[in-house]
Amino acid sequence: NTDTAAMQLELEGDDFAIYKVRLQNQADGRILWQSGKIKSQKRRAIKVLNVSFPAKLLKANIYTLEVSGISAEGANEIIGNYSFRIVR
């Protein structure tokens, strides 16, 4: 009975000022959600991205959160993928 799914994604580096995150269904490749522009936050010595999206998007399945860094020129560069499974 959760309305919002919240994730904290650890970054291996912090090479960009701005990031975007997309939620993708691994079964069919559909993009279910995309963030706006996000700035990294510092958690102890680690940089993280805090993202949240509607929990109703998640059914029993495997998903990927794809993280892109946005360059000063506005180009997107995929820098990481975080996979997770929902079991209900």
Side-chain angles (χ1 to χ4, degrees), residues 70-88:
I70 302 175
S71 71
E73 296 79 28
N76 287 346
E77 180 182 333
I78 297 171
I79 61 166
N81 290 299
Y82 300 80
S83 295
F84 63 97
R85 177 188 306 259
I86 299 294
V87 179
R88 293 187 181 211

Side-chain angles (χ1 to χ4, degrees), residues 62-74:
I62 300 173
Y63 299 91
T64 298
L65 288 169
E66 178 186 87
V67 178
S68 296
I70 302 175
S71 71
E73 296 79 28

Side-chain angles (χ1 to χ4, degrees), residues 29-69:
R30 283 185 306 133
I31 303 301
L32 303 174
W33 173 86
Q34 181 169 303
S35 74
K37 295 177 181 177
I38 303 173
K39 291 187 177 187
S40 65
Q41 305 290 318
K42 190 170 184 174
R43 189 188 80 187
R44 295 184 203 98
I46 300 170
K47 292 289 189 157
V48 298
L49 297 176
N50 294 308
V51 297
S52 59
F53 49 87
K56 67 183 178 183
L57 296 174
L58 303 173
K59 310 294 183 214
N61 212 334
I62 300 173
Y63 299 91
T64 298
L65 288 169
E66 178 186 87
V67 178
S68 296

